[in-house]
Amino acid sequence: MSVVSGALLAGLVLPVAGGIGLVAKDTAEGFDDIPDDFKTPPLAQATQIFDAKGGLIAKVYERDRTVITADQMSPLMRHAQVDIEDARFYEHGAVDLKGILRAISKNAESGTNSQGASTLTQQYVKNVNVEKAGDDTDAVQEAQRKTLGRKIQELKIAIKLDKELSKDQILTNYLNITYYGNGAYGVEAASQRYFGKSNKDLTVAEAATLAGLVQNPSQYDPKRYPDNAVKRRNVVIDKMLENKHLTADQAKEAKAAPLGLNYREPRNGCITATAGMGFFCDYVRHVVKQDPAFGKSAEERKKLWNTGGLNIYTTLDPDKQAAAQSAVSSKVRVTDTVSAAATMVEPGTGKILAMAQTRPYGLATEKNQTVVNLNVDASMGGGNGFQPGSTFKPIVAAAALEAGLPAVQEYSAPNSLEYPTMKTCEGTWRNDARPRTVVPNESAGEKGPYQLKEAMARSVNTYFVQMEQEIGLCAVKQMANKLGITAKASGKPLEEVPAMALGVEEVSPLTMANVYATFAAGGTHCSPLAINKITTVEGKDVPVPAGHCEKVFSDETARALNTVLNGVTEKGTGKDLGLDDGRQIAGKTGTSDHKRAAWFSGYTPQLATSVWLGGPAGGVEMRDITINGKYHGEVFGADGPGPIWRDAMSQALRGTPEKSLPMADIPDPAPKPDPNATGTGTATGPGTAKPNPAPSGSPR
């Protein structure tokens, strides 16, 4: 026995004494170097994301933890943890020599090293080191290594902390940092996980159950091993009785109590969001990790997100989200080969009010789930986008009107046209293909001359190619840039090609919704905004990206566009898409080459919405196809996404004041003479352009 005790004394006492000696020697230097985050460690906590009305969208975290103050903790919890972990905590300093000697004796008697001698303060220091290591496996292992050097360093810090913090402060920090198993860090998360209640509301038995977990969260897991948990709980209760924190009757009653679990599975991340809000939740995550407002470097922004403890109040309107989600889900089935996506943006602010898609957010591909947000660009969690088809034509019109062309601009607009030579920002584009690439109109009888209003209503391809030729590709690209299309959804640069007018540059529904929100706002473009406010759990404000709005074209151009696009919904390709209350709308249909994507983008003064329909990977040709149980010979913007847009907007605007769009007086052109009548030639008019030698483009 003497030999064993002597060996243990050498192993346990002498390193401690050596550590204390080193501390005494290096007090002036070593102690001052102790990081402040041991006093108030930046603990990773859960972040909560809320909609615009304060409803919880999702709770996301690297570690599920809610830091609480001492007075928010159950006194029973505090007593239970001290009694089982370090009963003399309030009597000794950072190092408990009496406890060390007791451990030597117990270990000698049993012939094992089962009895530890670390104080609660020392355990706290070790937990801080593990917390600082984060998810770095090597760093965590290093923080847990039982080496003499690490033990001495932990002792130094523990001694310093014991002098600078009160015992109550150390205990509070310990209870907030400690791991209680099943993904629960800290007593508040543990209370919610196992008993579905706040820590301050725990019973004696419940507090004892949690306190018993710390030594070995797996072995005493009350969910997997309830018998072990009860035995361990009762040991804690005995310790509380021994230390006079319970009466004999209280202890007896607590031991007789059932385990009483009200276990709640960890619900972490955007996958837990309801009402189709998972994709918007994921978009918010990308905003925080990418916007310089949240940190100068990617590492700083990642740390902010991973540390958590934020309350993020977003722009998402739950009523409009419900309207958008209902519309995409009722018109397209999850099991269809195609999917639909819709984004709503508030004109004049850029606030994203809704973001919905048919296929649910998730990882179960066998259930047609996806984590690819079809509403946004690749850099924000989306795909490579989709060709917007003729919904791009109003951008060409905006560029032309800003360049000084009249709203009654007329072109010959033949039924088909070889792409003509065009000026670009840096040179000239020429149709060098052999045979030369030709752009056709949708139907054989569709030929001009046409003026802007009728050409937009009919979605005449050759008209907009001729308009593009007159103003140049550079003007179109510059207008697209002003409206927020600075690159393709994939991140690749826009290409200055004549087919740009027909919507061959892949974009996302969010991008197009924001373009049409600019039309609705009279030419004021605002960058998309997802976050209204962020506070920490302590109530401190976190700077958020400021909304940036800029006037990008004139009121005169805005009025002309409103008139022209209103004509699309009254007499053109979108004439069957009126809202339930008959309020004034404006918009444009679009269908890409080979019917691989169909769109409708439109607006009222209060709301702009863009709806896309197609194969999620872009490869489904929507001909001879069944969508939501209905057969389509071929899908166009008016009969695919159009009804989704109509339903979403009707529901979203129900009960809101009706507002009119500022309009321009654009006279209708004179009726065309009958080309079969005697003496009738090809009609021409002011601004008519001659047909120019000119790819197949998008129909309406």
Side-chain angles (χ1 to χ4, degrees):
M1 181 67 71
S2 297
V3 172
V4 173
S5 297
L8 288 170
L9 182 63
L12 287 174
V13 178
L14 294 182
V16 170
I20 295 171
L22 288 172
V23 167
K25 180 179 178 182
D26 298 332
T27 297
E29 302 169 15
F31 279 14
D32 289 340
D33 293 336
I34 295 172
D36 286 339
D37 55 13
F38 277 95
K39 301 174 189 175
T40 311
L43 301 179
Q45 300 183 65
T47 283
Q48 297 187 102
I49 303 175
F50 299 95
D51 63 36
K53 292 188 176 181
L56 182 65
I57 294 175
K59 185 179 179 182
V60 297
Y61 50 81
E62 294 295 316
R63 293 188 175 177
D64 188 8
R65 175 190 282 121
T66 301
V67 174
I68 56 178
T69 60
D71 58 3
Q72 293 172 318
M73 292 178 182
S74 164
L76 291 169
M77 185 74 227
R78 294 173 74 85
H79 290 317
Q81 201 70 73
V82 170
D83 291 345
I84 192 63
E85 292 291 322
D86 186 1
R88 298 183 62 254
F89 173 65
Y90 283 95
E91 300 170 24
H92 60 64
V95 180
D96 183 10
L97 293 177
K98 188 175 180 180
I100 291 173
L101 294 173
R102 184 177 64 251
I104 291 172
S105 176
K106 293 286 186 183
N107 290 343
E109 289 174 9
S110 65
T112 69
N113 254 342
S114 61
Q115 182 76 39
S118 291
T119 65
L120 191 145
T121 306
Q122 290 171 261
Q123 293 177 48
Y124 166 67
V125 172
K126 180 180 287 186
N127 280 338
V128 172
N129 283 326
V130 172
E131 181 77 18
K132 289 166 69 177
D135 294 325
D136 186 330
T137 305
D138 292 338
V140 170
Q141 290 178 346
E142 177 62 27
Q144 294 175 328
R145 285 179 63 195
K146 296 179 179 180
T147 63
L148 177 59
R150 177 157 294 283
K151 194 71 174 176
I152 291 173
Q153 181 65 17
E154 287 175 358
L155 282 171
K156 287 172 65 177
I157 296 172
I159 292 168
K160 178 68 172 176
L161 285 174
D162 197 66
K163 290 182 178 180
E164 296 197 2
L165 298 181
S166 70
K167 290 289 189 179
D168 282 341
Q169 287 175 304
I170 292 173
L171 177 58
T172 299
N173 287 359
Y174 177 82
L175 291 170
N176 276 320
I177 200 172
T178 299
Y179 182 57
Y180 288 87
N182 285 295
Y185 290 82
V187 291
E188 180 62 18
S191 301
Q192 297 289 352
R193 175 77 73 255
Y194 295 108
F195 299 109
K197 62 172 70 173
S198 175
N199 183 259
K200 62 182 175 59
D201 299 324
L202 293 177
T203 65
V204 172
E206 291 165 348
T209 300
L210 295 186
L213 282 170
V214 172
Q215 186 183 80
N216 193 326
S218 298
Q219 181 180 339
Y220 300 126
D221 182 348
K223 186 169 178 286
R224 297 178 62 196
Y225 308 113
D227 291 342
N228 288 359
V230 169
K231 289 176 183 178
R232 178 64 174 168
R233 177 198 72 178
N234 292 345
V235 170
V236 177
I237 292 170
D238 286 338
K239 284 289 185 181
M240 295 178 75
L241 175 62
E242 178 185 328
N243 288 285
K244 299 181 180 180
H245 291 130
L246 293 178
T247 66
D249 287 342
Q250 287 174 319
K252 181 179 180 181
E253 181 183 354
K255 282 187 173 184
L259 194 54
L261 286 188
N262 181 17
Y263 185 80
R264 296 182 178 183
E265 290 288 346
R267 290 182 58 79
N268 177 26
C270 296
I271 201 167
T272 65
T274 57
M277 297 182 186
F279 296 102
F280 180 78
C281 170
D282 189 66
Y283 179 79
V284 169
R285 177 175 68 89
H286 279 84
V287 170
V288 174
K289 287 192 171 184
Q290 293 185 36
D291 197 299
F294 298 110
K296 294 180 181 179
S297 67
E299 192 60 35
E300 286 180 35
R301 298 189 290 271
K302 180 182 177 182
K303 183 178 179 182
L304 175 67
W305 180 262
N306 291 349
T307 301
L310 306 175
N311 291 319
I312 302 178
Y313 301 93
T314 72
T315 60
L316 198 75
D317 183 315
D319 297 328
K320 290 180 174 56
Q321 174 68 23
Q325 190 63 47
S326 173
V328 298
S329 299
S330 63
K331 291 289 192 291
V332 183
R333 295 175 183 173
V334 171
T335 53
D336 286 342
T337 55
V338 295
S339 186
T343 298
M344 293 179 171
V345 173
E346 183 177 70
T349 67
K351 290 182 178 181
I352 303 169
L353 303 181
M355 189 177 280
Q357 67 186 57
T358 303
R359 300 199 175 176
Y361 188 86
L363 298 169
T365 53
E366 71 278 6
K367 296 180 181 179
N368 293 293
Q369 294 178 353
T370 180
V371 292
V372 178
N373 186 348
L374 300 175
N375 279 288
V376 302
D377 292 353
S379 64
M380 301 302 288
N384 290 331
F386 311 96
Q387 292 184 348
S390 295
T391 60
F392 197 93
K393 287 173 180 172
I395 298 173
V396 179
L401 293 167
E402 283 294 284
L405 271 63
V408 292
Q409 178 68 37
E410 187 171 279
Y411 293 109
S412 60
N415 185 249
S416 65
L417 182 70
E418 290 184 350
Y419 275 109
T421 299
M422 296 189 188
K423 292 292 184 183
T424 67
C425 291
E426 298 179 358
T428 303
W429 182 92
R430 291 182 174 83
N431 191 350
D432 293 329
R434 292 295 181 271
R436 287 190 171 90
T437 312
V438 174
V439 54
N441 289 330
E442 177 62 20
S443 61
E446 198 170 74
K447 54 186 177 182
Y450 294 113
Q451 291 185 8
L452 176 59
K453 193 157 66 170
E454 187 178 7
M456 189 71 79
R458 292 174 175 269
S459 199
V460 180
N461 290 337
T462 57
Y463 177 93
F464 288 95
V465 169
Q466 289 181 313
M467 176 174 274
E468 190 178 43
Q469 181 198 21
E470 182 162 350
I471 62 175
L473 289 171
C474 190
V476 177
K477 179 183 177 182
Q478 289 173 343
M479 178 56 69
N481 291 167
K482 290 177 181 179
L483 292 168
I485 308 178
T486 56
K488 297 181 183 182
S490 63
K492 294 179 180 179
L494 293 178
E495 299 176 61
E496 289 184 74
V497 293
M500 181 188 293
L502 309 180
V504 297
E505 314 267 10
E506 294 87 355
V507 294
S508 65
L510 172 57
T511 296
M512 292 309 292
N514 207 33
V515 167
Y516 280 71
T518 305
F519 298 160
T524 297
H525 173 264
C526 299
S527 54
L529 199 63
I531 299 172
N532 283 325
K533 181 181 179 180
I534 296 180
T535 63
T536 64
V537 288
E538 294 84 15
K540 297 179 181 178
D541 287 335
V542 175
V544 299
H548 176 73
C549 296
E550 180 182 2
K551 186 81 168 172
V552 296
F553 56 72
S554 68
D555 290 341
E556 183 181 5
T557 293
R559 288 192 294 269
L561 284 173
N562 288 341
T563 305
V564 168
L565 294 176
N566 174 249
V568 173
T569 62
E570 287 193 344
K571 300 178 181 178
T573 55
K575 66 180 184 302
D576 296 326
L577 302 179
L579 303 188
D580 291 349
D581 58 12
R583 72 177 66 204
Q584 190 181 58
I585 59 174
K588 184 70 186 76
T589 55
T591 313
S592 74
D593 281 339
H594 307 293
K595 307 294 187 296
R596 289 195 177 113
W599 296 71
F600 189 83
S601 297
Y603 58 93
T604 68
Q606 306 105 305
L607 186 62
T609 300
S610 186
V611 177
W612 159 87
L613 175 69
V620 178
E621 292 193 15
M622 292 185 288
R623 293 189 174 95
D624 297 321
I625 190 171
T626 298
I627 302 174
N628 194 37
K630 180 181 178 182
Y631 173 79
H632 297 261
E634 53 184 346
V635 174
F636 293 95
D639 57 15
I644 297 173
W645 182 92
R646 179 190 60 215
D647 289 359
M649 289 287 283
S650 291
Q651 184 178 334
L653 293 169
R654 189 168 295 140
T656 63
E658 292 187 26
K659 296 183 179 180
S660 298
L661 294 163
M663 307 287 274
D665 182 16
I666 305 176
D668 292 325
K672 293 186 182 74
D674 183 354
N676 297 317
T678 304
T680 304
T682 301
T684 59
T688 301
K690 296 178 181 179
N692 288 289
S696 68
S698 359
R700 46 180 76 94

